[in-house]
Amino acid sequence: MRDIHEEFDRAIGLYLHGRATEAAEIGRRLLARSRGTPHAASIHRQVAEFLHAGGAYEEARQLAREAGSLARATRQPGEGLAAALVELACTLYEGQIGLTHKQLEEIERFAGGHPEPLAFKAELALLVGQLDAAQEAVAGALGKLDDLAPCGRDPMADLLRIKMLHIAARARLLEDQPGEALALLDRALALDSPSPIPDLLGRALVGLALVRTGETAMGREYISAAPLAARPYSADVHGRCLAVAGLAHLDLEEPGIAAEQLRSASGLLTHPIERQEVYWNLGMLVRDCDDKEEAIGSFRQATEPGTDTLFGRRAVRALRELLGLRVV
């Protein structure tokens, strides 16, 4: 049993450093050995999280379902909720927005007192462009987290706090309120995180917000440093920082650098649903440079894995403008 814990701690460490695929490889080897132990549901659920983070949605879904069954058999409702949310994340990242809304409503009915469903609701609302709803869900999740685990008491609770603050900051940036975004990001950076990844992403977002408030010199420092610091962790983390830097260079009216960074980011990001914003911005940039062919290709990519998200809808509108009434 001790060996299982040591190996799984190593897997969690890799996951927290952005190396989800390696974490999943270790976790898979421990699944059979964990069965029959009190930790089987937790290990199955966390390996499902690793798989989801690596883009293996169907395998993650199957393992999350197994984790839920184990949780029910061992009467661990908290693990059952966590497993249900991992399964729901697979549905969301496959682009099934309507089904995700419906299933999340069912989860909220049974687990409304927990912060995790509200945190998921905030992420979903941001993806579909319901920015007020995202802010409301963030506030609710943070309130419940404060009730359950004050800041500094639980590293994983603080990690969820940081994620919520980042979602709220992104919503403010989409609302063209960079000053408010900066305040939220400062709160996030002040929290201790068990993972270096949120700090890297937060600093990239700070750079974007600074550029948009007119503090361009300091903003440049942040958007230059974050992608370089992210490179040793994983392609996905590097891509996420590059995507934010590309947006900043768009605001700085440096289209050449912006296009290079957005193209690089699109090839590094793991999840198609997280590439949509990158492809939409790239499409708008090259469209304005009269490269219709690349613009159409970028907008088409931004419609994957579905068109019910904010940037999926924007891409459809952009394609209709370029192609008229032809099928997109």
Side-chain angles (χ1 to χ4, degrees):
M1 192 65 192
R2 183 177 175 181
D3 290 343
I4 293 178
H5 283 304
E6 289 176 353
E7 279 292 284
F8 203 68
D9 284 346
R10 188 162 74 90
I12 291 173
L14 288 167
Y15 173 65
L16 291 174
H17 283 74
R19 297 161 66 181
T21 302
E22 294 171 65
E25 289 175 2
I26 294 172
R28 284 191 189 98
R29 297 197 295 267
L30 301 176
L31 293 174
R33 293 166 58 192
S34 74
R35 291 189 178 92
T37 75
H39 308 287
S42 175
I43 288 175
H44 280 66
R45 185 262 305 169
Q46 289 181 86
V47 176
E49 288 183 7
F50 304 161
L51 289 164
H52 173 270
Y57 306 136
E58 187 53 39
E59 187 180 358
R61 176 184 287 109
Q62 292 173 4
L63 203 55
R65 286 176 180 166
E66 189 170 351
S69 297
L70 289 166
R72 288 189 293 274
T74 53
R75 298 183 181 180
Q76 298 180 67
E79 278 301 330
L81 172 61
L85 289 173
V86 175
E87 186 174 349
L88 190 58
C90 296
T91 302
L92 172 60
Y93 274 60
E94 288 171 339
Q96 301 182 65
I97 303 298
L99 182 57
T100 301
H101 273 293
K102 181 180 178 181
Q103 293 181 345
L104 181 57
E105 287 175 0
E106 294 175 3
I107 290 173
E108 285 187 292
R109 279 199 293 270
F110 294 102
H114 295 268
E116 293 85 0
L118 275 170
F120 194 103
K121 189 174 186 177
E123 181 179 3
L124 173 60
L126 181 68
L127 278 170
V128 300
Q130 296 172 349
L131 304 182
D132 288 342
Q135 299 282 8
E136 183 180 346
V138 164
L142 290 175
K144 291 184 184 298
L145 280 168
D146 289 344
D147 292 339
L148 293 171
C151 290
R153 295 278 185 87
D154 181 344
M156 299 311 291
D158 283 342
L159 191 59
L160 185 57
R161 277 191 180 88
I162 294 168
K163 182 177 181 179
M164 291 300 96
L165 291 167
H166 283 186
I167 286 175
R170 285 182 177 274
R172 292 300 189 195
L173 288 168
L174 286 169
E175 293 170 329
D176 197 23
Q177 297 176 356
E180 288 82 353
L182 272 175
L184 291 161
L185 293 166
D186 285 343
R187 284 176 59 190
L189 288 170
L191 293 170
D192 288 330
S193 170
S195 166
I197 307 305
D199 184 74
L200 290 169
L201 298 175
R203 290 181 180 280
L205 289 168
V206 165
L208 175 60
L210 285 169
V211 166
R212 291 184 177 176
T213 58
E215 299 182 58
T216 56
M218 188 176 295
R220 284 183 184 277
E221 291 182 16
Y222 276 91
I223 61 172
S224 297
L228 289 174
R231 188 175 293 168
Y233 290 95
S234 72
D236 183 70
V237 175
H238 186 207
R240 289 162 77 182
C241 288
L242 275 175
V244 176
L247 293 181
H249 284 290
L250 275 177
D251 291 326
L252 290 166
E253 298 183 357
E254 297 171 348
I257 299 174
E260 181 183 353
Q261 291 184 321
L262 292 171
R263 289 188 186 107
S264 296
S266 69
L268 294 171
L269 292 171
T270 298
H271 304 289
I273 206 166
E274 293 180 356
R275 294 183 210 137
Q276 288 184 315
E277 182 177 5
V278 172
Y279 277 122
W280 182 79
N281 279 289
L282 181 59
M284 295 296 287
L285 189 161
V286 297
R287 186 199 67 176
D288 292 343
C289 295
D290 295 323
D291 189 339
K292 183 177 178 180
E293 184 176 347
E294 184 178 357
I296 290 171
S298 294
F299 290 139
R300 287 189 186 279
Q301 292 278 9
T303 65
E304 298 295 334
T307 58
D308 291 331
T309 59
L310 173 61
F311 289 100
R313 294 194 305 272
R314 288 184 177 182
V316 168
R317 287 197 296 270
L319 281 167
R320 283 177 176 160
E321 290 174 4
L322 285 172
L323 299 174
L325 297 178
R326 288 159 54 189
V327 176
V328 299

PDB file of all heavy atoms in Angstrom, residues 8-35:
ATOM      1  N   PHE A   8       1.678   7.179  -6.557  1.00  0.00           N
ATOM      2  CA  PHE A   8       0.611   8.092  -6.935  1.00  0.00           C
ATOM      3  C   PHE A   8       0.952   9.532  -6.569  1.00  0.00           C
ATOM      4  O   PHE A   8       0.574  10.456  -7.289  1.00  0.00           O
ATOM      5  CB  PHE A   8      -0.716   7.679  -6.294  1.00  0.00           C
ATOM      6  CG  PHE A   8      -1.894   8.225  -7.053  1.00  0.00           C
ATOM      7  CD1 PHE A   8      -2.175   7.747  -8.324  1.00  0.00           C
ATOM      8  CD2 PHE A   8      -2.680   9.223  -6.529  1.00  0.00           C
ATOM      9  CE1 PHE A   8      -3.230   8.260  -9.060  1.00  0.00           C
ATOM     10  CE2 PHE A   8      -3.734   9.741  -7.243  1.00  0.00           C
ATOM     11  CZ  PHE A   8      -4.016   9.257  -8.516  1.00  0.00           C
ATOM     12  N   ASP A   9       1.659   9.717  -5.488  1.00  0.00           N
ATOM     13  CA  ASP A   9       2.131  11.070  -5.155  1.00  0.00           C
ATOM     14  C   ASP A   9       3.030  11.605  -6.263  1.00  0.00           C
ATOM     15  O   ASP A   9       2.987  12.799  -6.595  1.00  0.00           O
ATOM     16  CB  ASP A   9       2.886  11.063  -3.829  1.00  0.00           C
ATOM     17  CG  ASP A   9       1.951  10.966  -2.626  1.00  0.00           C
ATOM     18  OD1 ASP A   9       0.731  11.165  -2.798  1.00  0.00           O
ATOM     19  OD2 ASP A   9       2.445  10.676  -1.514  1.00  0.00           O
ATOM     20  N   ARG A  10       3.826  10.718  -6.839  1.00  0.00           N
ATOM     21  CA  ARG A  10       4.695  11.135  -7.951  1.00  0.00           C
ATOM     22  C   ARG A  10       3.849  11.524  -9.165  1.00  0.00           C
ATOM     23  O   ARG A  10       4.131  12.521  -9.851  1.00  0.00           O
ATOM     24  CB  ARG A  10       5.663  10.013  -8.319  1.00  0.00           C
ATOM     25  CG  ARG A  10       6.731  10.420  -9.337  1.00  0.00           C
ATOM     26  CD  ARG A  10       7.880   9.436  -9.328  1.00  0.00           C
ATOM     27  NE  ARG A  10       7.543   8.185  -9.955  1.00  0.00           N
ATOM     28  CZ  ARG A  10       7.706   7.919 -11.257  1.00  0.00           C
ATOM     29  NH1 ARG A  10       8.199   8.858 -12.055  1.00  0.00           N
ATOM     30  NH2 ARG A  10       7.393   6.754 -11.751  1.00  0.00           N
ATOM     31  N   ALA A  11       2.783  10.752  -9.424  1.00  0.00           N
ATOM     32  CA  ALA A  11       1.892  11.075 -10.537  1.00  0.00           C
ATOM     33  C   ALA A  11       1.213  12.425 -10.323  1.00  0.00           C
ATOM     34  O   ALA A  11       1.126  13.245 -11.249  1.00  0.00           O
ATOM     35  CB  ALA A  11       0.840   9.979 -10.697  1.00  0.00           C
ATOM     36  N   ILE A  12       0.750  12.680  -9.121  1.00  0.00           N
ATOM     37  CA  ILE A  12       0.098  13.955  -8.824  1.00  0.00           C
ATOM     38  C   ILE A  12       1.081  15.111  -9.005  1.00  0.00           C
ATOM     39  O   ILE A  12       0.734  16.173  -9.540  1.00  0.00           O
ATOM     40  CB  ILE A  12      -0.493  13.943  -7.398  1.00  0.00           C
ATOM     41  CG1 ILE A  12      -1.680  12.980  -7.343  1.00  0.00           C
ATOM     42  CG2 ILE A  12      -0.928  15.345  -6.983  1.00  0.00           C
ATOM     43  CD1 ILE A  12      -2.222  12.758  -5.945  1.00  0.00           C
ATOM     44  N   GLY A  13       2.324  14.883  -8.578  1.00  0.00           N
ATOM     45  CA  GLY A  13       3.337  15.919  -8.761  1.00  0.00           C
ATOM     46  C   GLY A  13       3.562  16.261 -10.225  1.00  0.00           C
ATOM     47  O   GLY A  13       3.673  17.436 -10.591  1.00  0.00           O
ATOM     48  N   LEU A  14       3.599  15.241 -11.066  1.00  0.00           N
ATOM     49  CA  LEU A  14       3.744  15.479 -12.508  1.00  0.00           C
ATOM     50  C   LEU A  14       2.534  16.243 -13.059  1.00  0.00           C
ATOM     51  O   LEU A  14       2.682  17.183 -13.845  1.00  0.00           O
ATOM     52  CB  LEU A  14       3.895  14.146 -13.243  1.00  0.00           C
ATOM     53  CG  LEU A  14       5.225  13.419 -13.051  1.00  0.00           C
ATOM     54  CD1 LEU A  14       5.139  11.981 -13.567  1.00  0.00           C
ATOM     55  CD2 LEU A  14       6.353  14.162 -13.769  1.00  0.00           C
ATOM     56  N   TYR A  15       1.350  15.833 -12.634  1.00  0.00           N
ATOM     57  CA  TYR A  15       0.123  16.493 -13.097  1.00  0.00           C
ATOM     58  C   TYR A  15       0.116  17.969 -12.708  1.00  0.00           C
ATOM     59  O   TYR A  15      -0.226  18.837 -13.528  1.00  0.00           O
ATOM     60  CB  TYR A  15      -1.071  15.774 -12.484  1.00  0.00           C
ATOM     61  CG  TYR A  15      -2.402  16.431 -12.720  1.00  0.00           C
ATOM     62  CD1 TYR A  15      -2.931  16.544 -13.998  1.00  0.00           C
ATOM     63  CD2 TYR A  15      -3.149  16.924 -11.647  1.00  0.00           C
ATOM     64  CE1 TYR A  15      -4.166  17.140 -14.212  1.00  0.00           C
ATOM     65  CE2 TYR A  15      -4.384  17.522 -11.853  1.00  0.00           C
ATOM     66  CZ  TYR A  15      -4.887  17.627 -13.131  1.00  0.00           C
ATOM     67  OH  TYR A  15      -6.101  18.220 -13.337  1.00  0.00           O
ATOM     68  N   LEU A  16       0.506  18.257 -11.486  1.00  0.00           N
ATOM     69  CA  LEU A  16       0.508  19.639 -11.016  1.00  0.00           C
ATOM     70  C   LEU A  16       1.568  20.483 -11.726  1.00  0.00           C
ATOM     71  O   LEU A  16       1.503  21.721 -11.680  1.00  0.00           O
ATOM     72  CB  LEU A  16       0.721  19.693  -9.505  1.00  0.00           C
ATOM     73  CG  LEU A  16      -0.436  19.159  -8.658  1.00  0.00           C
ATOM     74  CD1 LEU A  16      -0.046  19.137  -7.181  1.00  0.00           C
ATOM     75  CD2 LEU A  16      -1.703  19.980  -8.862  1.00  0.00           C
ATOM     76  N   HIS A  17       2.521  19.836 -12.376  1.00  0.00           N
ATOM     77  CA  HIS A  17       3.537  20.553 -13.156  1.00  0.00           C
ATOM     78  C   HIS A  17       3.228  20.495 -14.657  1.00  0.00           C
ATOM     79  O   HIS A  17       4.117  20.714 -15.489  1.00  0.00           O
ATOM     80  CB  HIS A  17       4.927  19.989 -12.869  1.00  0.00           C
ATOM     81  CG  HIS A  17       5.490  20.461 -11.557  1.00  0.00           C
ATOM     82  ND1 HIS A  17       5.036  19.989 -10.349  1.00  0.00           N
ATOM     83  CD2 HIS A  17       6.441  21.396 -11.271  1.00  0.00           C
ATOM     84  CE1 HIS A  17       5.699  20.599  -9.378  1.00  0.00           C
ATOM     85  NE2 HIS A  17       6.543  21.455  -9.899  1.00  0.00           N
ATOM     86  N   GLY A  18       1.975  20.194 -14.989  1.00  0.00           N
ATOM     87  CA  GLY A  18       1.545  20.255 -16.383  1.00  0.00           C
ATOM     88  C   GLY A  18       1.837  19.018 -17.204  1.00  0.00           C
ATOM     89  O   GLY A  18       1.578  19.022 -18.412  1.00  0.00           O
ATOM     90  N   ARG A  19       2.312  17.956 -16.581  1.00  0.00           N
ATOM     91  CA  ARG A  19       2.710  16.762 -17.328  1.00  0.00           C
ATOM     92  C   ARG A  19       1.664  15.664 -17.152  1.00  0.00           C
ATOM     93  O   ARG A  19       1.885  14.617 -16.567  1.00  0.00           O
ATOM     94  CB  ARG A  19       4.100  16.312 -16.885  1.00  0.00           C
ATOM     95  CG  ARG A  19       5.169  17.360 -17.196  1.00  0.00           C
ATOM     96  CD  ARG A  19       6.432  17.195 -16.400  1.00  0.00           C
ATOM     97  NE  ARG A  19       7.155  15.975 -16.707  1.00  0.00           N
ATOM     98  CZ  ARG A  19       8.286  15.609 -16.104  1.00  0.00           C
ATOM     99  NH1 ARG A  19       8.826  16.398 -15.175  1.00  0.00           N
ATOM    100  NH2 ARG A  19       8.881  14.486 -16.430  1.00  0.00           N
ATOM    101  N   ALA A  20       0.464  15.947 -17.675  1.00  0.00           N
ATOM    102  CA  ALA A  20      -0.686  15.080 -17.443  1.00  0.00           C
ATOM    103  C   ALA A  20      -0.523  13.704 -18.077  1.00  0.00           C
ATOM    104  O   ALA A  20      -0.937  12.691 -17.501  1.00  0.00           O
ATOM    105  CB  ALA A  20      -1.946  15.750 -17.972  1.00  0.00           C
ATOM    106  N   THR A  21       0.059  13.635 -19.259  1.00  0.00           N
ATOM    107  CA  THR A  21       0.199  12.351 -19.948  1.00  0.00           C
ATOM    108  C   THR A  21       1.103  11.409 -19.174  1.00  0.00           C
ATOM    109  O   THR A  21       0.797  10.212 -19.015  1.00  0.00           O
ATOM    110  CB  THR A  21       0.742  12.566 -21.373  1.00  0.00           C
ATOM    111  OG1 THR A  21      -0.154  13.432 -22.084  1.00  0.00           O
ATOM    112  CG2 THR A  21       0.857  11.249 -22.111  1.00  0.00           C
ATOM    113  N   GLU A  22       2.215  11.939 -18.651  1.00  0.00           N
ATOM    114  CA  GLU A  22       3.106  11.104 -17.847  1.00  0.00           C
ATOM    115  C   GLU A  22       2.424  10.681 -16.556  1.00  0.00           C
ATOM    116  O   GLU A  22       2.594   9.541 -16.091  1.00  0.00           O
ATOM    117  CB  GLU A  22       4.388  11.880 -17.530  1.00  0.00           C
ATOM    118  CG  GLU A  22       5.247  12.185 -18.743  1.00  0.00           C
ATOM    119  CD  GLU A  22       6.385  13.126 -18.404  1.00  0.00           C
ATOM    120  OE1 GLU A  22       7.264  12.729 -17.623  1.00  0.00           O
ATOM    121  OE2 GLU A  22       6.374  14.263 -18.910  1.00  0.00           O
ATOM    122  N   ALA A  23       1.660  11.581 -15.960  1.00  0.00           N
ATOM    123  CA  ALA A  23       0.929  11.250 -14.739  1.00  0.00           C
ATOM    124  C   ALA A  23      -0.065  10.124 -15.001  1.00  0.00           C
ATOM    125  O   ALA A  23      -0.202   9.196 -14.187  1.00  0.00           O
ATOM    126  CB  ALA A  23       0.207  12.485 -14.213  1.00  0.00           C
ATOM    127  N   ALA A  24      -0.759  10.196 -16.147  1.00  0.00           N
ATOM    128  CA  ALA A  24      -1.734   9.163 -16.479  1.00  0.00           C
ATOM    129  C   ALA A  24      -1.071   7.808 -16.686  1.00  0.00           C
ATOM    130  O   ALA A  24      -1.630   6.771 -16.302  1.00  0.00           O
ATOM    131  CB  ALA A  24      -2.507   9.564 -17.729  1.00  0.00           C
ATOM    132  N   GLU A  25       0.123   7.790 -17.276  1.00  0.00           N
ATOM    133  CA  GLU A  25       0.829   6.522 -17.489  1.00  0.00           C
ATOM    134  C   GLU A  25       1.134   5.844 -16.160  1.00  0.00           C
ATOM    135  O   GLU A  25       0.980   4.627 -16.013  1.00  0.00           O
ATOM    136  CB  GLU A  25       2.125   6.780 -18.262  1.00  0.00           C
ATOM    137  CG  GLU A  25       1.902   7.156 -19.732  1.00  0.00           C
ATOM    138  CD  GLU A  25       3.194   7.528 -20.434  1.00  0.00           C
ATOM    139  OE1 GLU A  25       4.260   7.457 -19.778  1.00  0.00           O
ATOM    140  OE2 GLU A  25       3.141   7.885 -21.621  1.00  0.00           O
ATOM    141  N   ILE A  26       1.574   6.613 -15.182  1.00  0.00           N
ATOM    142  CA  ILE A  26       1.831   6.054 -13.856  1.00  0.00           C
ATOM    143  C   ILE A  26       0.526   5.600 -13.217  1.00  0.00           C
ATOM    144  O   ILE A  26       0.419   4.502 -12.651  1.00  0.00           O
ATOM    145  CB  ILE A  26       2.532   7.089 -12.955  1.00  0.00           C
ATOM    146  CG1 ILE A  26       3.926   7.398 -13.492  1.00  0.00           C
ATOM    147  CG2 ILE A  26       2.611   6.588 -11.503  1.00  0.00           C
ATOM    148  CD1 ILE A  26       4.620   8.540 -12.778  1.00  0.00           C
ATOM    149  N   GLY A  27      -0.500   6.449 -13.315  1.00  0.00           N
ATOM    150  CA  GLY A  27      -1.774   6.138 -12.690  1.00  0.00           C
ATOM    151  C   GLY A  27      -2.409   4.871 -13.231  1.00  0.00           C
ATOM    152  O   GLY A  27      -2.981   4.080 -12.458  1.00  0.00           O
ATOM    153  N   ARG A  28      -2.339   4.673 -14.536  1.00  0.00           N
ATOM    154  CA  ARG A  28      -2.927   3.461 -15.129  1.00  0.00           C
ATOM    155  C   ARG A  28      -2.355   2.207 -14.485  1.00  0.00           C
ATOM    156  O   ARG A  28      -3.075   1.229 -14.269  1.00  0.00           O
ATOM    157  CB  ARG A  28      -2.659   3.421 -16.631  1.00  0.00           C
ATOM    158  CG  ARG A  28      -3.520   4.339 -17.480  1.00  0.00           C
ATOM    159  CD  ARG A  28      -3.320   3.972 -18.943  1.00  0.00           C
ATOM    160  NE  ARG A  28      -3.922   4.910 -19.866  1.00  0.00           N
ATOM    161  CZ  ARG A  28      -3.256   5.888 -20.469  1.00  0.00           C
ATOM    162  NH1 ARG A  28      -1.954   6.058 -20.238  1.00  0.00           N
ATOM    163  NH2 ARG A  28      -3.871   6.692 -21.317  1.00  0.00           N
ATOM    164  N   ARG A  29      -1.066   2.221 -14.205  1.00  0.00           N
ATOM    165  CA  ARG A  29      -0.409   1.029 -13.633  1.00  0.00           C
ATOM    166  C   ARG A  29      -0.876   0.743 -12.211  1.00  0.00           C
ATOM    167  O   ARG A  29      -0.691  -0.379 -11.716  1.00  0.00           O
ATOM    168  CB  ARG A  29       1.114   1.215 -13.655  1.00  0.00           C
ATOM    169  CG  ARG A  29       1.714   1.335 -15.041  1.00  0.00           C
ATOM    170  CD  ARG A  29       3.211   1.091 -15.021  1.00  0.00           C
ATOM    171  NE  ARG A  29       3.924   2.103 -14.269  1.00  0.00           N
ATOM    172  CZ  ARG A  29       4.463   3.208 -14.803  1.00  0.00           C
ATOM    173  NH1 ARG A  29       4.354   3.422 -16.120  1.00  0.00           N
ATOM    174  NH2 ARG A  29       5.121   4.081 -14.072  1.00  0.00           N
ATOM    175  N   LEU A  30      -1.464   1.745 -11.560  1.00  0.00           N
ATOM    176  CA  LEU A  30      -1.859   1.579 -10.163  1.00  0.00           C
ATOM    177  C   LEU A  30      -3.330   1.226 -10.003  1.00  0.00           C
ATOM    178  O   LEU A  30      -3.769   0.910  -8.892  1.00  0.00           O
ATOM    179  CB  LEU A  30      -1.565   2.867  -9.386  1.00  0.00           C
ATOM    180  CG  LEU A  30      -0.109   3.323  -9.370  1.00  0.00           C
ATOM    181  CD1 LEU A  30       0.015   4.658  -8.649  1.00  0.00           C
ATOM    182  CD2 LEU A  30       0.783   2.275  -8.710  1.00  0.00           C
ATOM    183  N   LEU A  31      -4.095   1.280 -11.087  1.00  0.00           N
ATOM    184  CA  LEU A  31      -5.536   1.091 -10.961  1.00  0.00           C
ATOM    185  C   LEU A  31      -5.887  -0.286 -10.406  1.00  0.00           C
ATOM    186  O   LEU A  31      -6.669  -0.403  -9.452  1.00  0.00           O
ATOM    187  CB  LEU A  31      -6.208   1.294 -12.323  1.00  0.00           C
ATOM    188  CG  LEU A  31      -6.159   2.719 -12.877  1.00  0.00           C
ATOM    189  CD1 LEU A  31      -6.725   2.759 -14.292  1.00  0.00           C
ATOM    190  CD2 LEU A  31      -6.923   3.678 -11.970  1.00  0.00           C
ATOM    191  N   ALA A  32      -5.342  -1.339 -11.013  1.00  0.00           N
ATOM    192  CA  ALA A  32      -5.677  -2.694 -10.569  1.00  0.00           C
ATOM    193  C   ALA A  32      -5.239  -2.917  -9.126  1.00  0.00           C
ATOM    194  O   ALA A  32      -5.966  -3.534  -8.338  1.00  0.00           O
ATOM    195  CB  ALA A  32      -5.027  -3.726 -11.489  1.00  0.00           C
ATOM    196  N   ARG A  33      -4.071  -2.398  -8.770  1.00  0.00           N
ATOM    197  CA  ARG A  33      -3.557  -2.582  -7.409  1.00  0.00           C
ATOM    198  C   ARG A  33      -4.374  -1.830  -6.378  1.00  0.00           C
ATOM    199  O   ARG A  33      -4.395  -2.187  -5.198  1.00  0.00           O
ATOM    200  CB  ARG A  33      -2.095  -2.145  -7.344  1.00  0.00           C
ATOM    201  CG  ARG A  33      -1.149  -3.032  -8.143  1.00  0.00           C
ATOM    202  CD  ARG A  33       0.214  -2.383  -8.319  1.00  0.00           C
ATOM    203  NE  ARG A  33       0.834  -2.068  -7.042  1.00  0.00           N
ATOM    204  CZ  ARG A  33       1.923  -1.294  -6.914  1.00  0.00           C
ATOM    205  NH1 ARG A  33       2.471  -0.764  -7.997  1.00  0.00           N
ATOM    206  NH2 ARG A  33       2.430  -1.072  -5.737  1.00  0.00           N
ATOM    207  N   SER A  34      -5.051  -0.774  -6.804  1.00  0.00           N
ATOM    208  CA  SER A  34      -5.819   0.028  -5.847  1.00  0.00           C
ATOM    209  C   SER A  34      -7.171  -0.585  -5.515  1.00  0.00           C
ATOM    210  O   SER A  34      -7.762  -0.267  -4.480  1.00  0.00           O
ATOM    211  CB  SER A  34      -6.033   1.434  -6.396  1.00  0.00           C
ATOM    212  OG  SER A  34      -7.001   1.449  -7.424  1.00  0.00           O
ATOM    213  N   ARG A  35      -7.670  -1.459  -6.398  1.00  0.00           N
ATOM    214  CA  ARG A  35      -9.001  -2.028  -6.172  1.00  0.00           C
ATOM    215  C   ARG A  35      -9.018  -2.839  -4.878  1.00  0.00           C
ATOM    216  O   ARG A  35      -8.092  -3.575  -4.567  1.00  0.00           O
ATOM    217  CB  ARG A  35      -9.420  -2.906  -7.354  1.00  0.00           C
ATOM    218  CG  ARG A  35      -9.687  -2.102  -8.611  1.00  0.00           C
ATOM    219  CD  ARG A  35     -10.318  -2.942  -9.713  1.00  0.00           C
ATOM    220  NE  ARG A  35     -10.613  -2.127 -10.878  1.00  0.00           N
ATOM    221  CZ  ARG A  35      -9.794  -1.946 -11.904  1.00  0.00           C
ATOM    222  NH1 ARG A  35      -8.614  -2.556 -11.907  1.00  0.00           N
ATOM    223  NH2 ARG A  35     -10.129  -1.182 -12.913  1.00  0.00           N
TER     224      ARG A  35
END
